[in-house]
Coordinates of all heavy atoms in Angstrom, one line a residue:
M10 N 99.7 109.5 108.3 CA 99.7 110.1 106.9 C 100.5 109.1 106.1 O 101.6 108.6 106.5 CB 100.4 111.4 106.9 CG 100.5 112.0 105.5 SD 101.6 113.5 105.5 CE 101.0 114.3 107.0
K11 N 100.0 108.8 104.9 CA 100.7 107.8 104.0 C 101.4 108.6 102.9 O 100.8 109.4 102.1 CB 99.8 106.9 103.4 CG 99.3 105.8 104.3 CD 98.7 104.6 103.6 CE 98.5 103.5 104.5 NZ 97.4 103.0 104.9
V12 N 102.7 108.5 102.8 CA 103.5 109.1 101.7 C 104.1 108.0 100.8 O 104.8 107.2 101.3 CB 104.6 110.0 102.3 CG1 105.3 110.7 101.2 CG2 104.0 111.0 103.2
K13 N 103.7 108.0 99.5 CA 104.3 107.1 98.6 C 105.2 107.8 97.6 O 104.8 108.8 97.0 CB 103.2 106.4 97.8 CG 102.3 105.6 98.8 CD 101.2 104.9 97.9 CE 100.3 104.1 98.9 NZ 99.2 103.5 98.2
V14 N 106.4 107.4 97.5 CA 107.4 108.0 96.6 C 107.6 107.0 95.5 O 108.1 105.9 95.7 CB 108.6 108.4 97.3 CG1 109.6 109.1 96.3 CG2 108.3 109.4 98.5
C15 N 107.4 107.4 94.2 CA 107.7 106.5 93.1 C 109.2 106.4 92.9 O 109.9 107.4 92.9 CB 107.1 107.1 91.8 SG 107.5 106.1 90.4
V16 N 109.7 105.2 92.9 CA 111.1 105.0 92.6 C 111.4 104.3 91.3 O 112.4 103.6 91.1 CB 111.8 104.3 93.8 CG1 111.9 105.2 95.0 CG2 111.2 103.0 94.1
G17 N 110.4 104.5 90.3 CA 110.7 104.0 89.0 C 111.8 104.8 88.4 O 112.2 105.8 88.9
S18 N 112.2 104.4 87.2 CA 113.5 104.9 86.7 C 113.3 106.4 86.3 O 114.2 107.2 86.6 CB 113.9 104.2 85.5 OG 112.9 103.9 84.6
N19 N 112.2 106.9 85.8 CA 112.1 108.2 85.4 C 112.1 109.1 86.7 O 112.8 110.2 86.8 CB 110.8 108.5 84.7 CG 110.9 108.2 83.2 OD1 111.9 108.4 82.7 ND2 109.8 107.7 82.7
C20 N 111.4 108.7 87.7 CA 111.3 109.5 89.0 C 112.6 109.5 89.7 O 113.0 110.5 90.2 CB 110.2 109.0 89.8 SG 108.5 109.3 89.1
T21 N 113.3 108.3 89.6 CA 114.6 108.2 90.3 C 115.6 109.2 89.6 O 116.4 109.9 90.3 CB 115.1 106.8 90.2 OG1 114.2 106.0 90.9 CG2 116.5 106.7 90.9
L22 N 115.5 109.2 88.3 CA 116.5 110.1 87.5 C 116.3 111.5 87.9 O 117.2 112.4 87.8 CB 116.2 109.9 86.0 CG 117.0 108.8 85.3 CD1 116.6 108.8 83.9 CD2 118.5 109.2 85.4
L23 N 115.0 111.9 88.2 CA 114.7 113.3 88.5 C 114.6 113.6 90.0 O 114.1 114.6 90.4 CB 113.4 113.6 87.8 CG 113.6 113.7 86.3 CD1 112.3 113.6 85.5 CD2 114.4 114.9 85.8
G24 N 115.2 112.8 90.8 CA 115.4 113.2 92.2 C 114.6 112.5 93.3 O 114.5 112.9 94.4
A25 N 113.9 111.3 93.0 CA 113.1 110.7 94.0 C 113.9 110.3 95.2 O 113.4 110.4 96.3 CB 112.4 109.4 93.4
M26 N 115.2 109.8 95.0 CA 115.9 109.4 96.2 C 116.2 110.5 97.1 O 116.2 110.3 98.3 CB 117.3 108.8 95.7 CG 117.1 107.5 95.0 SD 116.1 106.4 96.0 CE 115.6 105.1 94.7
S27 N 116.4 111.7 96.6 CA 116.7 112.8 97.5 C 115.4 113.2 98.2 O 115.4 113.5 99.4 CB 117.3 113.9 96.7 OG 116.7 115.1 96.9
I28 N 114.3 113.1 97.6 CA 113.0 113.2 98.3 C 112.8 112.3 99.5 O 112.5 112.7 100.6 CB 111.8 113.2 97.3 CG1 111.9 114.3 96.3 CG2 110.5 113.3 98.1 CD1 110.8 114.2 95.2
L29 N 113.1 111.0 99.2 CA 113.1 110.0 100.2 C 114.0 110.3 101.4 O 113.6 110.2 102.6 CB 113.4 108.6 99.7 CG 112.3 107.8 99.0 CD1 112.9 106.6 98.4 CD2 111.2 107.4 100.0
D30 N 115.1 110.7 101.1 CA 116.2 111.1 102.1 C 115.6 112.3 103.0 O 115.7 112.2 104.2 CB 117.5 111.5 101.6 CG 118.3 110.3 101.0 OD1 118.0 109.2 101.4 OD2 119.3 110.6 100.4
Q31 N 115.1 113.2 102.3 CA 114.6 114.4 103.1 C 113.4 114.0 103.9 O 113.2 114.6 105.1 CB 114.1 115.4 102.0 CG 115.2 116.0 101.2 CD 115.8 117.3 101.7 OE1 115.1 118.0 102.4 NE2 117.0 117.6 101.3
I32 N 112.5 113.1 103.5 CA 111.4 112.7 104.3 C 111.9 112.0 105.6 O 111.4 112.2 106.7 CB 110.5 111.8 103.5 CG1 109.8 112.6 102.4 CG2 109.4 111.3 104.5 CD1 109.0 111.7 101.4
D33 N 113.0 111.2 105.4 CA 113.6 110.5 106.6 C 114.1 111.5 107.6 O 113.9 111.4 108.8 CB 114.7 109.6 106.1 CG 114.3 108.3 105.7 OD1 113.1 107.9 105.9 OD2 115.1 107.5 105.0
D34 N 114.8 112.6 107.1 CA 115.3 113.6 108.0 C 114.1 114.3 108.6 O 114.1 114.6 109.8 CB 116.1 114.7 107.2 CG 117.4 114.1 106.7 OD1 117.8 113.0 107.2 OD2 118.1 114.8 105.9
L35 N 113.1 114.6 107.9 CA 111.9 115.3 108.4 C 111.2 114.4 109.5 O 110.8 115.0 110.5 CB 110.9 115.6 107.3 CG 109.7 116.4 107.7 CD1 110.1 117.8 108.2 CD2 108.7 116.5 106.6
K36 N 111.2 113.1 109.3 CA 110.6 112.2 110.3 C 111.3 112.4 111.7 O 110.6 112.4 112.8 CB 110.7 110.8 109.9 CG 109.6 110.3 109.1 CD 109.9 108.9 108.6 CE 109.1 107.9 109.3 NZ 109.1 106.5 108.6
I37 N 112.6 112.5 111.6 CA 113.4 112.7 112.8 C 113.0 114.0 113.5 O 112.8 114.1 114.7 CB 114.9 112.5 112.6 CG1 115.2 111.1 112.1 CG2 115.7 112.9 113.8 CD1 116.6 111.0 111.5
I38 N 113.0 115.1 112.7 CA 112.7 116.4 113.2 C 111.3 116.4 113.9 O 111.1 116.9 115.0 CB 112.7 117.4 112.1 CG1 114.2 117.6 111.6 CG2 112.2 118.8 112.6 CD1 114.3 118.4 110.3
I39 N 110.3 115.8 113.2 CA 109.0 115.7 113.7 C 108.9 115.0 115.0 O 108.2 115.4 116.0 CB 108.1 115.1 112.6 CG1 107.9 116.1 111.5 CG2 106.7 114.8 113.3 CD1 107.3 115.4 110.2
S40 N 109.6 113.8 115.1 CA 109.5 113.0 116.3 C 110.1 113.7 117.5 O 109.8 113.4 118.6 CB 110.1 111.6 116.0 OG 111.5 111.8 115.9
E41 N 111.1 114.6 117.3 CA 111.7 115.3 118.3 C 111.1 116.7 118.7 O 111.5 117.3 119.6 CB 113.1 115.5 118.0 CG 114.0 114.3 117.9 CD 115.3 114.4 117.4 OE1 115.6 115.5 116.8 OE2 116.2 113.5 117.5
D42 N 109.9 117.0 118.0 CA 109.4 118.3 118.2 C 107.9 118.2 118.4 O 107.1 118.6 117.5 CB 109.7 119.2 117.1 CG 109.3 120.7 117.3 OD1 108.6 120.9 118.4 OD2 109.5 121.5 116.5
S43 N 107.5 117.5 119.5 CA 106.0 117.3 119.7 C 105.2 118.7 120.0 O 104.1 118.7 120.1 CB 105.8 116.3 120.8 OG 106.4 116.8 122.0
D44 N 106.0 119.7 120.3 CA 105.3 121.0 120.6 C 104.7 121.5 119.3 O 103.7 122.2 119.4 CB 106.3 122.0 121.1 CG 106.8 121.7 122.5 OD1 106.0 120.9 123.2 OD2 107.8 122.3 123.0
N45 N 105.4 121.3 118.2 CA 104.9 121.9 117.0 C 104.2 121.0 116.0 O 103.6 121.4 115.1 CB 106.1 122.6 116.3 CG 106.6 123.8 117.0 OD1 105.8 124.7 117.4 ND2 107.9 123.9 117.3
Y46 N 104.4 119.7 116.2 CA 103.8 118.8 115.3 C 103.0 117.8 116.0 O 103.3 117.3 117.1 CB 104.9 118.0 114.5 CG 105.8 118.9 113.7 CD1 107.1 119.2 114.2 CD2 105.3 119.5 112.5 CE1 107.9 120.1 113.4 CE2 106.1 120.4 111.9 CZ 107.4 120.7 112.3 OH 108.2 121.5 111.6
N47 N 101.8 117.4 115.4 CA 101.0 116.4 116.1 C 101.7 115.0 115.8 O 102.6 114.9 115.1 CB 99.6 116.4 115.6 CG 99.4 116.2 114.1 OD1 100.1 115.3 113.6 ND2 98.5 116.9 113.5
D48 N 101.2 114.1 116.6 CA 101.9 112.8 116.6 C 101.4 111.7 115.5 O 101.6 110.5 115.7 CB 102.0 112.2 118.0 CG 100.6 111.9 118.5 OD1 99.6 112.2 117.7 OD2 100.4 111.6 119.7
E49 N 100.9 112.3 114.5 CA 100.4 111.4 113.4 C 101.6 110.6 112.8 O 102.6 111.3 112.6 CB 99.7 112.2 112.3 CG 99.1 111.3 111.2 CD 98.4 112.1 110.2 OE1 98.3 113.4 110.4 OE2 98.1 111.6 109.1
E50 N 101.5 109.3 112.6 CA 102.6 108.6 112.1 C 102.8 108.8 110.6 O 101.8 109.0 109.9 CB 102.4 107.1 112.4 CG 103.7 106.4 112.2 CD 103.5 104.9 112.2 OE1 102.5 104.4 112.6 OE2 104.4 104.2 111.6
L51 N 104.0 109.0 110.2 CA 104.3 109.2 108.8 C 104.8 107.9 108.2 O 105.8 107.4 108.5 CB 105.4 110.3 108.8 CG 105.7 111.0 107.6 CD1 104.5 111.8 107.1 CD2 106.9 112.1 107.8
E52 N 103.9 107.3 107.5 CA 104.3 106.1 106.8 C 104.8 106.4 105.4 O 104.2 106.9 104.6 CB 103.0 105.2 106.6 CG 102.6 104.3 107.7 CD 101.4 103.6 107.4 OE1 101.3 102.9 106.3 OE2 100.4 103.8 108.1
V53 N 106.0 105.9 105.2 CA 106.7 106.2 103.9 C 106.9 105.0 103.1 O 107.4 103.9 103.7 CB 108.0 106.9 104.0 CG1 108.6 107.3 102.7 CG2 107.9 108.1 105.0
E54 N 106.5 105.0 101.9 CA 106.6 103.7 101.0 C 107.2 104.1 99.7 O 106.8 105.1 99.1 CB 105.2 103.2 100.8 CG 105.2 101.8 100.3 CD 103.7 101.4 100.0 OE1 102.8 102.0 100.5 OE2 103.6 100.5 99.2
A55 N 108.2 103.3 99.3 CA 108.7 103.5 97.9 C 108.0 102.6 97.0 O 107.8 101.4 97.3 CB 110.2 103.1 97.9
I56 N 107.5 103.2 96.0 CA 106.6 102.4 95.1 C 107.2 102.3 93.7 O 108.0 103.2 93.3 CB 105.2 102.9 95.0 CG1 105.2 104.4 94.6 CG2 104.4 102.8 96.4 CD1 103.7 105.0 94.3
R57 N 106.7 101.4 93.0 CA 107.2 101.3 91.5 C 106.4 102.2 90.7 O 105.3 102.6 91.1 CB 107.0 99.8 91.1 CG 107.9 98.9 91.7 CD 107.7 97.6 91.1 NE 108.7 96.7 91.7 CZ 108.8 95.4 91.3 NH1 108.1 95.0 90.3 NH2 109.7 94.7 91.8
C58 N 106.9 102.4 89.5 CA 106.2 103.3 88.6 C 104.7 102.9 88.4 O 104.4 101.8 88.2 CB 106.9 103.2 87.2 SG 106.0 104.2 85.9
L59 N 103.8 104.0 88.7 CA 102.4 103.7 88.6 C 101.9 104.1 87.1 O 100.7 104.0 86.9 CB 101.7 104.6 89.5 CG 101.9 104.3 91.0 CD1 101.2 105.4 91.9 CD2 101.4 102.9 91.3
G60 N 102.9 104.4 86.3 CA 102.5 104.6 84.9 C 102.2 106.1 84.5 O 102.0 106.5 83.3
F61 N 102.2 106.9 85.5 CA 102.0 108.4 85.3 C 102.9 109.0 84.2 O 102.5 109.7 83.4 CB 102.2 109.2 86.5 CG 101.1 108.9 87.6 CD1 101.5 108.2 88.7 CD2 99.9 109.5 87.5 CE1 100.5 108.0 89.7 CE2 98.9 109.3 88.5 CZ 99.2 108.5 89.6
C62 N 104.2 108.5 84.3 CA 105.2 109.1 83.4 C 105.1 108.6 82.0 O 105.6 109.1 81.1 CB 106.5 108.9 83.9 SG 107.0 107.1 84.0
K63 N 104.3 107.5 81.9 CA 104.3 106.8 80.6 C 103.1 107.2 79.7 O 103.1 107.1 78.5 CB 104.2 105.3 80.8 CG 105.4 104.8 81.6 CD 106.0 103.5 81.1 CE 107.4 103.3 81.6 NZ 107.5 102.7 83.0
N64 N 102.1 107.7 80.3 CA 100.9 108.0 79.6 C 100.8 109.5 79.1 O 99.7 110.0 78.9 CB 99.6 107.7 80.4 CG 99.7 106.2 80.8 OD1 100.1 105.4 80.0 ND2 99.2 105.9 82.0
T65 N 101.9 110.2 79.1 CA 101.8 111.6 78.8 C 103.1 112.0 78.1 O 104.1 111.4 78.3 CB 101.6 112.4 80.1 OG1 101.6 113.8 79.7 CG2 102.6 112.1 81.2
D66 N 103.0 113.1 77.4 CA 104.2 113.6 76.8 C 104.8 114.7 77.7 O 105.9 115.2 77.6 CB 103.9 114.3 75.4 CG 103.5 113.3 74.4 OD1 104.1 112.2 74.5 OD2 102.9 113.6 73.4
E67 N 104.0 115.1 78.7 CA 104.4 116.2 79.6 C 105.4 115.6 80.6 O 105.3 114.4 81.0 CB 103.2 116.8 80.4 CG 102.4 117.6 79.5 CD 101.1 118.1 80.2 OE1 101.2 118.4 81.4 OE2 100.1 118.2 79.5
K68 N 106.2 116.5 81.2 CA 107.0 116.0 82.3 C 106.2 115.9 83.5 O 105.7 117.0 84.0 CB 108.2 117.0 82.4 CG 109.2 116.7 83.5 CD 110.2 117.8 83.6 CE 111.0 117.7 84.9 NZ 110.2 117.8 86.2
V69 N 106.2 114.8 84.2 CA 105.4 114.7 85.4 C 106.3 114.2 86.6 O 105.9 114.3 87.8 CB 104.2 113.8 85.3 CG1 103.1 114.4 84.3 CG2 104.5 112.4 84.8
A70 N 107.4 113.5 86.3 CA 108.2 112.9 87.4 C 109.0 114.0 88.1 O 109.4 114.9 87.4 CB 109.1 111.8 86.7
P71 N 109.4 113.8 89.3 CA 109.0 112.7 90.2 C 107.5 112.8 90.7 O 107.0 113.9 90.8 CB 109.9 112.9 91.4 CG 111.0 113.8 91.0 CD 110.4 114.6 89.9
I72 N 107.0 111.6 91.0 CA 105.6 111.5 91.5 C 105.7 111.1 92.9 O 106.4 110.2 93.3 CB 104.9 110.4 90.7 CG1 104.7 110.8 89.2 CG2 103.5 110.1 91.4 CD1 103.6 111.6 88.9
V73 N 104.9 111.9 93.8 CA 104.8 111.5 95.2 C 103.2 111.5 95.4 O 102.5 112.5 95.0 CB 105.4 112.5 96.1 CG1 105.2 112.3 97.6 CG2 107.0 112.5 95.8
V74 N 102.8 110.6 96.2 CA 101.3 110.5 96.5 C 101.2 110.6 98.0 O 101.8 109.9 98.8 CB 100.7 109.2 96.1 CG1 99.2 109.2 96.4 CG2 100.9 109.0 94.6
I75 N 100.5 111.7 98.4 CA 100.3 112.0 99.9 C 98.9 111.8 100.3 O 98.0 112.5 99.7 CB 100.9 113.4 100.3 CG1 102.4 113.5 100.0 CG2 100.6 113.6 101.8 CD1 102.9 114.8 100.4
D76 N 98.6 110.8 101.1 CA 97.1 110.5 101.5 C 96.2 110.5 100.3 O 95.2 111.1 100.2 CB 96.6 111.5 102.4 CG 97.2 111.3 103.9 OD1 97.7 110.1 104.1 OD2 97.1 112.3 104.7
G77 N 96.7 109.8 99.2 CA 95.9 109.7 98.0 C 95.9 110.8 97.0 O 95.4 110.7 95.9
E78 N 96.6 111.9 97.4 CA 96.7 113.1 96.5 C 98.0 113.0 95.7 O 99.1 113.0 96.4 CB 96.6 114.4 97.3 CG 96.6 115.6 96.5 CD 96.6 116.9 97.4 OE1 96.2 116.8 98.5 OE2 97.2 117.9 96.8
T79 N 98.0 113.0 94.4 CA 99.2 112.8 93.6 C 99.8 114.2 93.4 O 99.2 115.1 92.9 CB 98.8 112.2 92.3 OG1 98.1 111.0 92.5 CG2 100.1 111.9 91.4
M80 N 101.1 114.3 93.6 CA 101.9 115.4 93.3 C 102.7 115.1 92.1 O 103.5 114.2 92.1 CB 102.8 115.9 94.5 CG 102.0 116.2 95.7 SD 103.1 116.5 97.1 CE 103.8 118.1 96.7
Y81 N 102.6 115.9 91.1 CA 103.5 115.8 89.9 C 104.7 116.7 90.0 O 104.6 117.8 90.7 CB 102.6 116.1 88.7 CG 101.4 115.3 88.5 CD1 100.2 115.8 89.0 CD2 101.5 114.1 87.9 CE1 99.1 115.0 88.9 CE2 100.4 113.3 87.8 CZ 99.1 113.8 88.3 OH 98.0 113.0 88.2
N82 N 105.8 116.4 89.4 CA 107.0 117.2 89.4 C 107.3 117.6 90.8 O 107.7 118.7 91.2 CB 106.8 118.5 88.6 CG 106.5 118.3 87.1 OD1 107.2 117.5 86.5 ND2 105.4 118.9 86.6
A83 N 107.2 116.6 91.7 CA 107.5 116.8 93.0 C 109.0 117.2 93.3 O 109.9 116.7 92.6 CB 107.2 115.5 93.9
T84 N 109.2 118.1 94.3 CA 110.5 118.4 94.7 C 110.6 118.2 96.2 O 109.6 118.1 96.9 CB 110.9 119.9 94.4 OG1 110.1 120.7 95.2 CG2 110.7 120.2 92.9
S85 N 111.8 118.1 96.7 CA 111.9 117.9 98.2 C 111.2 119.0 98.8 O 110.5 118.8 99.8 CB 113.4 118.0 98.6 OG 114.1 117.0 98.1
Q86 N 111.3 120.3 98.3 CA 110.7 121.4 98.9 C 109.1 121.3 98.9 O 108.5 121.5 100.0 CB 111.1 122.7 98.3 CG 110.6 123.9 99.0 CD 111.1 125.2 98.4 OE1 111.9 125.2 97.5 NE2 110.6 126.3 98.9
T87 N 108.6 121.0 97.8 CA 107.1 120.9 97.8 C 106.6 119.8 98.6 O 105.5 120.0 99.3 CB 106.6 120.9 96.3 OG1 107.1 119.7 95.7 CG2 106.9 122.1 95.5
V88 N 107.3 118.7 98.6 CA 106.8 117.6 99.4 C 106.9 117.9 100.9 O 106.0 117.7 101.7 CB 107.6 116.3 99.1 CG1 107.3 115.1 100.0 CG2 107.3 115.8 97.7
M89 N 108.1 118.5 101.3 CA 108.2 118.9 102.7 C 107.1 119.8 103.2 O 106.5 119.7 104.2 CB 109.6 119.5 103.0 CG 110.8 118.6 102.8 SD 110.6 117.0 103.6 CE 110.7 116.0 102.1
E90 N 106.9 120.8 102.3 CA 105.9 121.8 102.7 C 104.5 121.2 102.9 O 103.8 121.4 103.8 CB 105.7 122.9 101.6 CG 106.7 124.0 101.6 CD 106.7 124.9 100.4 OE1 105.8 124.8 99.7 OE2 107.7 125.6 100.3
K91 N 104.2 120.3 102.0 CA 102.9 119.6 102.1 C 102.8 118.8 103.3 O 101.8 118.8 104.0 CB 102.7 118.7 100.8 CG 101.4 118.0 100.7 CD 100.7 118.8 99.6 CE 99.3 118.3 99.3 NZ 98.6 119.3 98.6
I92 N 103.8 118.0 103.7 CA 103.8 117.2 104.8 C 103.7 118.1 106.1 O 102.8 117.9 107.0 CB 105.0 116.2 104.9 CG1 105.0 115.3 103.8 CG2 105.1 115.6 106.3 CD1 106.3 114.4 103.6
V93 N 104.5 119.1 106.1 CA 104.5 119.9 107.3 C 103.2 120.6 107.5 O 102.7 120.7 108.7 CB 105.7 121.0 107.2 CG1 105.6 122.1 108.2 CG2 107.1 120.3 107.4
N94 N 102.6 121.1 106.5 CA 101.3 121.8 106.6 C 100.3 120.9 107.1 O 99.3 121.3 107.8 CB 100.9 122.4 105.2 CG 101.6 123.6 104.9 OD1 102.2 124.3 105.8 ND2 101.7 123.9 103.6
K95 N 100.4 119.6 106.8 CA 99.3 118.7 107.3 C 99.5 118.3 108.8 O 98.6 118.0 109.4 CB 99.4 117.4 106.5 CG 98.7 117.5 105.1 CD 98.8 116.2 104.4 CE 97.8 116.1 103.2 NZ 96.7 115.3 103.5
I96 N 100.8 118.3 109.2 CA 101.0 117.8 110.6 C 101.4 118.9 111.6 O 101.5 118.6 112.8 CB 102.0 116.7 110.6 CG1 103.3 117.2 110.1 CG2 101.6 115.5 109.9 CD1 104.5 116.3 110.3
R97 N 101.5 120.1 111.1 CA 101.9 121.1 112.1 C 100.6 121.4 113.0 O 99.5 121.4 112.5 CB 102.2 122.4 111.3 CG 102.9 123.4 112.1 CD 103.6 124.5 111.4 NE 102.9 124.9 110.2 CZ 103.5 125.5 109.1 NH1 104.8 125.7 109.2 NH2 102.9 125.8 108.1
K98 N 100.9 121.7 114.2 CA 99.8 122.0 115.2 C 99.2 123.3 115.0 O 99.9 124.2 114.6 CB 100.3 121.8 116.6 CG 100.5 120.4 117.1 CD 100.8 120.4 118.5 CE 100.9 118.9 119.0 NZ 101.5 118.8 120.3
Ligands
FES109 S1 108.8 106.3 87.1 FE1 107.6 107.3 88.5 S2 105.7 107.5 87.6 FE2 106.9 106.4 86.1

């Protein structure tokens, strides 16, 4: 699974770093619990602003892209839920 977290200034201001930290913690939990999670590798990448926050008046940051699906207004909780739902056995 590929997880891209925007670390542009808008997304960082609104919590992107905490999302990255939580994903790191989740990676450890997943690697230690092969009973409940499949062994799909979690590739995490910090990316620069893709322009989502610039082309709109709406609040969209933080942006996280999971396997090509863009999540707007991402929070640690919504991102963790999405990842866990995809890799839970
Ligand atoms: S800073 Fe993240 S989309 Fe612009």
Side-chain angles (χ1 to χ4, degrees):
M10 182 189 317
K11 285 198 167 109
V12 182
K13 298 179 182 176
V14 180
C15 176
V16 291
S18 48
N19 280 324
C20 291
T21 300
L22 273 174
L23 290 164
M26 291 307 162
S27 130
I28 295 173
L29 274 173
D30 283 350
Q31 298 262 339
I32 296 172
D33 276 346
D34 291 348
L35 184 64
K36 269 175 109 167
I37 296 169
I38 293 167
I39 289 167
S40 68
E41 291 172 349
D42 188 356
S43 59
D44 287 345
N45 289 310
Y46 300 105
N47 61 40
D48 56 6
E49 185 179 348
E50 199 192 335
L51 200 57
E52 272 179 57
V53 185
E54 193 186 340
I56 56 169
R57 291 184 177 187
C58 177
L59 295 174
F61 291 105
C62 64
K63 306 223 157 86
N64 302 326
T65 176
D66 292 334
E67 286 173 37
K68 177 188 165 303
V69 295
I72 297 278
V73 175
V74 183
I75 298 181
D76 284 342
E78 185 185 333
T79 304
M80 296 175 72
Y81 302 95
N82 299 312
T84 64
S85 297
Q86 189 179 350
T87 56
V88 171
M89 295 313 114
E90 276 173 15
K91 188 100 179 163
I92 295 172
V93 165
N94 283 337
K95 279 180 165 254
I96 58 170
R97 195 165 33 204
K98 280 185 177 170

